[in-house]
Amino acid sequence: MQKLVKGRFGYIIRVVGVSQSRWARQMLTSRQDHEKVRTVVVPVVRHYSSLRPLRGDLLKFPGPNYGIPSRGIGMIVARVLRGALKIRYLLLGGTIAGGSALAKTYEQWKEALPDTKFLEELMPSQEELDAIRTALISYRDKIKDSVPDFTLDPKLKELGESKYDQLVLWFKERLDDAIKAAEEEKTEGSGFFTDGKEEDGEFLTLSGMANSLTPMLKDFSSDLKQHAISFSAMGSAAEKEREKAGLYQSLKPETIREKYESLQEELMQVQLKYQKEVERLEKENKELRKSLMLRAGDKIAHKKIKKSLIDMYSEVLDELCDYDSSYDTQDHLPRVVVVGDQSSGKTSVLEMVAQARIFPRGAGEMMTRAPVMVTLSEGPYHIASFKDSTREFDLTKESELSELRKEVELRMLNSVRLGRTVSHEVISMTVKGPGLQRMVLVDLPGIISTVTTDMASDTREAIRSISEQYMSNPNAIILCIQDGSVDAERSNVTDLVSQMDPQGKRTIFVLTKVDLAEENLTNPDRIRKILSGKLFPMKALGYFAVVTGKGSKEDSIQAIKDYEESFFRNSRLFKGGVINSHQCTTRNLSFAVSECFWKMVRDTVEQQADAFKATRFNLETEWKNNFPRTRELDRDELFEKARGEILDEVVNLSQVSPKQWEDALSKKMWDKMVTHIFENIYLPAAQTENSGTFNTTADIKLKQWADGMLPKKCVEVGWETLEDEFRKFMERAKNSKDHDDIFDSLKACVVDEAMRRHEWEDKAADVLRVIQLNALEDRSVHDKQQWDAACKFLEESVKDKLHTTESTLREMVGPSTKEQWMYWSYPTEEQKRRAAVKSELENILKSDYKHKNTLTYDEVTQVRKNAQAQGVDVDNEFIRETWHPVYRRHFLRRALAKAYDCRKAFYAYHQGLEGELGVECNDVVLFWRIQQMIRITANALRQQVMNREARRLEKEIKEVLEEYGCDRDKKEHLLTGRRVMLAEELKRVRQIQEKLEEFIYALNAEK
């Protein structure tokens, strides 16, 4: 840059660095035409690198080229190859590492799986399953092959080809149905043994069942084959005989009917034989299940979930019953609601399902007076228990069954209050036993048409309301019970059920007393219409016919079941095809009801859980908004908190010092006895002429007082003082900063009830009497301090009485002249007369300073005449009424003056010189004796309060709290408010939600 080159447009300088820029400017400014050059020189500062290419050739500096030469295509290819090689190594390393991690994870998951080897012992092998299947198929083929094609005499065809085809088709269908039903029932019956049977220390599985099932099937097939062959042979032989002889030109209708009935009877015998065998297998299965439930082991642990499902569901329903007794709309959990007319057999059906006579029975009278919720579950023993009791009734013993029925009847009677006949209160019961179908049934009072004289007037409406409340639940299974022995037109329940479930999607119709219906009804088509849903204006999922008794209350469940089977076996209704086999017996009914119940539970329980979640969220939001810094305490927790606070205040009584107790007792005692002392002791004694008579009168009055009412009054004072001190502590706690006013009503009620029950110890009055007599007999003041205290006590007492007397006089005579001028108040006419009489009476007292406490007749006449002279007309009684307060004020002023004089007369009293000094201090001695008696009595009462009465009060308060704690109605009355109700509702909703979630989890696990 030593030489500057001028281009066409001026000097172009390429500058690298600050120092070169400064040098270039100095060189340009030194020239002659620097002014012109400065306007066209553009210093350019650039930074060069290998990644930044140079600009174009415009204004390019013609010096050496400082740029970095560009690289070729070979370098680019090398870079691409190097990147590809890196990707290969990354892919290869990632694949190896991922495979290793996946293998390790698979091994951990495989180790975490439970051991299922025990299933190999319980489940049969594939060969054994194939053997069972082959045996069943061969049995079916043998049955079908053993019966040839059924044909009749050609002569019969003359009666009509259609009749012939119908009869053949009917027989084949009946035979196929019988074979199919037998196969299905046998298959189901064999499944019962999958649970296992303990025999010689081993479990009987399907593999063992196959060996025992094959000969049984052979026996059945041989019997059926024999009957079928004999029947078909008889038919073919008769046909050949008729063809050869040609004896029959026509067949009588009676003969056709006889053959029809004989065929149907044989078919029925086959069906009943299969059913009896299935029942035998079920009975054996019950024994097996009972033994399985008694075993404890890992191999049957999965049964525990199944057994406890219904119990968990029942607990949810119990919580809902306590949560809202009015059957809240949110409670849509399934139940089996048993409804029917009174004496229609509702309770009998429930007893047959529960397999025990658990309900009280009456002859035509109302027995079910409240809803009874019965939870049926499976268990090793047949027992029953109530929700709120731990006792279990053994249903296999008649004595305990009788006690259970009495308990149910007693609970029903206790639930009915205030003259009502029925109650909404739910009686919850659990029945367990082997083979029982798991479900929850609610037995409701029977619907009536007429209210009798021994019922409440609203009984019919109340029963209907209860039934509607339970049936309005859209998920409730309605078990409609109809008495088959009465006319269908007399039914009340069918109309109610058709209103609550018009489509019949959750109704099961049960016709009871079918044996009586068969005797009474001459037309069996009527029963067929009932069981096909064509007679009553209602729809149902299924129709069943049952027999629930023989008319005797002493019949056992097993005897009734045997009678039911015998009836349907020989019934004309069953033989005539009026009733299908699946529509009869309570056994089939219980299976159908249980299946519908659990289907409804599985379909609706999660929806109900979601509803309670939403309810819980709303309640918690309301609590946070209204009570943000308060704990959620329900009524029971609040009661326990209040109990602690009340008992703490009782303990605080021990913090009261002895001096405080004695001062409070002394003050209250004096307030109670001051009027008696002045009116009955001091004033009569002061009217005597000398000191001897004064002391004698005072002694007599004091002894009479001490022997009579004084001890009892003192006991009352002690009781009232204890109550006042305790209430002071309660008020002090009430005024504290952390006080919760929700407890005020409860605390006040508990304290009032405890104080009402509290009674002072009986011997306390006798002890006080002795102490008080001894204190009052002492008339010797021992020292100057006691004398001064007695003088002070006398002065204060007299001043208080004097103040009270002057207030009474002021009210009698009206305002004074000064008050009239200052307060613009004027006396009444009566007050003016009182003032005139008072003035005359004061003149009498001024003339006689030691006047007696009564007026003579002359003095009364004088006062009356003087008043009349002033224009005031009064009578003698008016004068005497005015005299009493006037004289009392005069006497009290004189007594006060005497008390002032006796302040310094202690030494004269002590030396017996009172008479010489002209000072009589008998008043001081009297009040000293009373003061000593009060002090000693207060001390005795204080000891009684601190040592005994406070503890007795605490005991009585605890008893009251215990009673209130057990009385839910009392707690609801005393602990009220939205805060309590919201906390109660939150607690219940949480409990219901938790139990529902637990039940849903167990239900899904069982699936």
Side-chain angles (χ1 to χ4, degrees), residues 401-461:
L401 268 174
S402 177
E403 294 179 4
L404 176 62
R405 290 192 288 267
K406 291 180 181 178
E407 180 69 18
V408 172
E409 185 175 5
L410 181 62
R411 287 173 179 259
M412 286 186 181
L413 294 176
N414 291 336
S415 66
V416 179
R417 303 184 183 92
L418 303 176
R420 294 180 300 175
T421 307
V422 294
S423 170
H424 289 262
E425 187 174 331
V426 180
I427 300 174
S428 184
M429 175 192 297
T430 299
V431 178
K432 296 183 179 181
L436 291 183
Q437 298 299 313
R438 302 175 301 161
M439 56 183 139
V440 178
L441 302 100
V442 182
D443 186 20
L444 300 179
I447 298 173
I448 60 176
S449 301
T450 305
V451 178
T452 58
T453 56
D454 57 345
M455 296 180 181
S457 59
D458 62 340
T459 302
R460 180 172 54 189
E461 291 75 15

Side-chain angles (χ1 to χ4, degrees), residues 254-535:
E254 292 79 1
T255 307
I256 298 175
R257 184 179 299 277
E258 291 176 1
K259 289 184 176 293
Y260 174 79
E261 291 180 355
S262 64
L263 290 173
Q264 190 172 12
E265 186 174 358
E266 289 185 11
L267 182 61
M268 186 197 318
Q269 292 295 334
V270 175
Q271 290 181 350
L272 293 176
K273 184 175 182 180
Y274 282 115
Q275 183 175 355
K276 189 173 182 180
E277 186 64 24
V278 170
E279 291 177 356
R280 183 185 66 81
L281 295 176
E282 287 181 354
K283 187 175 181 180
E284 294 179 359
N285 185 35
K286 289 182 182 179
E287 298 297 328
L288 291 175
R289 295 177 76 86
K290 180 177 179 180
S291 62
L292 285 173
M293 292 175 187
L294 294 175
R295 290 175 58 89
D298 296 336
K299 293 184 179 181
I300 56 172
H302 62 282
K303 287 289 179 186
K304 295 181 180 179
I305 299 177
K306 184 176 182 181
K307 287 189 298 182
S308 61
L309 261 182
I310 189 64
D311 296 329
M312 295 163 61
Y313 187 74
S314 178
E315 289 178 1
V316 174
L317 296 182
D318 291 337
E319 289 288 341
L320 286 173
C321 290
D322 296 337
Y323 170 63
D324 191 354
S325 59
S326 63
Y327 207 84
D328 188 66
T329 54
Q330 290 182 345
D331 177 16
H332 289 165
L333 290 176
R335 298 165 175 82
V336 180
V337 180
V338 185
V339 295
D341 296 336
Q342 183 177 341
S343 301
S344 61
K346 303 187 298 13
T347 304
S348 300
V349 171
L350 202 152
E351 287 179 339
M352 291 294 292
V353 175
Q355 300 182 14
R357 307 295 291 271
I358 58 178
F359 290 106
R361 311 183 72 82
E365 61 178 338
M366 178 180 293
M367 299 304 299
T368 305
R369 298 179 178 270
V372 182
M373 188 175 74
V374 181
T375 302
L376 301 180
S377 62
E378 202 172 14
Y381 302 108
H382 204 185
I383 58 175
S385 61
F386 292 96
K387 180 190 70 171
D388 54 353
S389 175
T390 57
R391 180 182 178 183
E392 294 182 344
F393 297 87
D394 189 353
L395 301 183
T396 60
K397 299 179 180 180
E398 186 58 35
S399 60
E400 297 203 16
L401 268 174
S402 177
E403 294 179 4
L404 176 62
R405 290 192 288 267
K406 291 180 181 178
E407 180 69 18
V408 172
E409 185 175 5
L410 181 62
R411 287 173 179 259
M412 286 186 181
L413 294 176
N414 291 336
S415 66
V416 179
R417 303 184 183 92
L418 303 176
R420 294 180 300 175
T421 307
V422 294
S423 170
H424 289 262
E425 187 174 331
V426 180
I427 300 174
S428 184
M429 175 192 297
T430 299
V431 178
K432 296 183 179 181
L436 291 183
Q437 298 299 313
R438 302 175 301 161
M439 56 183 139
V440 178
L441 302 100
V442 182
D443 186 20
L444 300 179
I447 298 173
I448 60 176
S449 301
T450 305
V451 178
T452 58
T453 56
D454 57 345
M455 296 180 181
S457 59
D458 62 340
T459 302
R460 180 172 54 189
E461 291 75 15
I463 294 175
R464 192 177 184 90
S465 174
I466 294 174
S467 301
E468 289 177 353
Q469 284 179 3
Y470 279 87
M471 288 191 293
S472 61
N473 179 3
N475 300 323
I477 307 297
I478 302 175
L479 201 61
C480 179
I481 309 298
Q482 172 62 37
D483 189 352
S485 63
V486 300
D487 297 335
E489 291 77 12
R490 295 166 56 186
S491 175
N492 296 314
V493 68
T494 52
D495 292 337
L496 181 60
V497 171
S498 63
Q499 294 175 11
M500 305 308 296
D501 184 22
Q503 302 299 324
K505 294 182 178 180
R506 52 189 180 90
T507 302
I508 297 177
F509 182 87
V510 182
L511 186 67
T512 61
K513 305 178 184 179
V514 186
D515 52 342
L516 300 179
E518 185 181 29
E519 296 178 3
N520 299 334
L521 296 178
T522 58
N523 185 9
D525 290 338
R526 196 168 180 83
I527 297 180
R528 181 185 292 109
K529 289 182 179 180
I530 294 175
L531 296 179
S532 60
K534 297 179 180 179
L535 185 62

Side-chain angles (χ1 to χ4, degrees), residues 670-732:
W670 176 248
D671 294 339
K672 287 281 187 181
M673 61 181 64
V674 60
T675 303
H676 181 82
I677 290 173
F678 272 92
E679 299 294 335
N680 299 328
I681 298 176
Y682 183 39
L683 284 176
Q687 303 303 317
T688 58
E689 297 178 354
N690 53 46
S691 61
T693 309
F694 181 94
N695 292 331
T696 302
T697 304
D699 291 343
I700 293 173
K701 297 290 185 180
L702 288 174
K703 190 173 186 309
Q704 291 176 351
W705 185 41
D707 287 335
M709 57 182 295
L710 178 60
K712 295 180 180 179
K713 283 289 184 182
C714 292
V715 169
E716 292 179 4
V717 167
W719 185 88
E720 292 176 1
T721 305
L722 176 62
E723 181 181 3
D724 291 344
E725 291 298 323
F726 184 66
R727 291 189 183 278
K728 285 180 182 178
F729 281 108
M730 299 294 292
E731 289 295 326
R732 196 177 304 165

Side-chain angles (χ1 to χ4, degrees), residues 508-689:
I508 297 177
F509 182 87
V510 182
L511 186 67
T512 61
K513 305 178 184 179
V514 186
D515 52 342
L516 300 179
E518 185 181 29
E519 296 178 3
N520 299 334
L521 296 178
T522 58
N523 185 9
D525 290 338
R526 196 168 180 83
I527 297 180
R528 181 185 292 109
K529 289 182 179 180
I530 294 175
L531 296 179
S532 60
K534 297 179 180 179
L535 185 62
F536 290 109
M538 59 170 290
K539 298 179 181 179
L541 289 172
Y543 298 82
F544 290 86
V546 297
V547 177
T548 57
K550 298 186 292 183
S552 175
K553 296 188 291 185
E554 306 300 328
D555 293 336
S556 64
I557 295 296
Q558 187 59 42
I560 297 175
K561 290 176 65 177
D562 295 339
Y563 172 73
E564 184 183 36
E565 294 175 2
S566 175
F567 167 76
F568 283 114
R569 186 182 302 114
N570 302 316
S571 172
R572 291 181 291 119
L573 300 174
F574 193 73
K575 290 180 180 180
V578 176
I579 303 176
N580 295 326
S581 59
H582 67 275
Q583 287 184 285
C584 58
T585 71
T586 52
R587 169 182 168 273
N588 293 333
L589 171 64
S590 61
F591 285 153
V593 173
S594 177
E595 183 180 357
C596 292
F597 170 76
W598 283 107
K599 183 178 183 301
M600 188 70 75
V601 168
R602 292 186 177 93
D603 293 342
T604 61
V605 67
E606 293 188 359
Q607 180 181 357
Q608 293 300 305
D610 294 339
F612 277 101
K613 285 181 182 179
T615 303
R616 175 178 176 177
F617 175 78
N618 294 335
L619 293 176
E620 288 177 346
T621 303
E622 182 180 354
W623 181 275
K624 292 177 181 178
N625 294 335
N626 297 331
F627 313 102
R629 290 180 294 276
T630 308
R631 289 177 56 197
E632 298 174 6
L633 299 179
D634 60 7
R635 188 172 279 109
D636 293 334
E637 293 170 337
L638 288 172
F639 182 81
E640 292 301 322
K641 185 177 179 181
R643 181 205 298 266
E645 293 184 3
I646 294 174
L647 295 178
D648 289 343
E649 300 304 331
V650 177
V651 174
N652 289 337
L653 287 174
S654 60
Q655 298 178 2
V656 180
S657 64
K659 186 177 184 307
Q660 290 177 333
W661 277 117
E662 292 183 7
D663 292 344
L665 289 167
S666 300
K667 184 177 182 306
K668 189 169 283 294
M669 272 193 293
W670 176 248
D671 294 339
K672 287 281 187 181
M673 61 181 64
V674 60
T675 303
H676 181 82
I677 290 173
F678 272 92
E679 299 294 335
N680 299 328
I681 298 176
Y682 183 39
L683 284 176
Q687 303 303 317
T688 58
E689 297 178 354

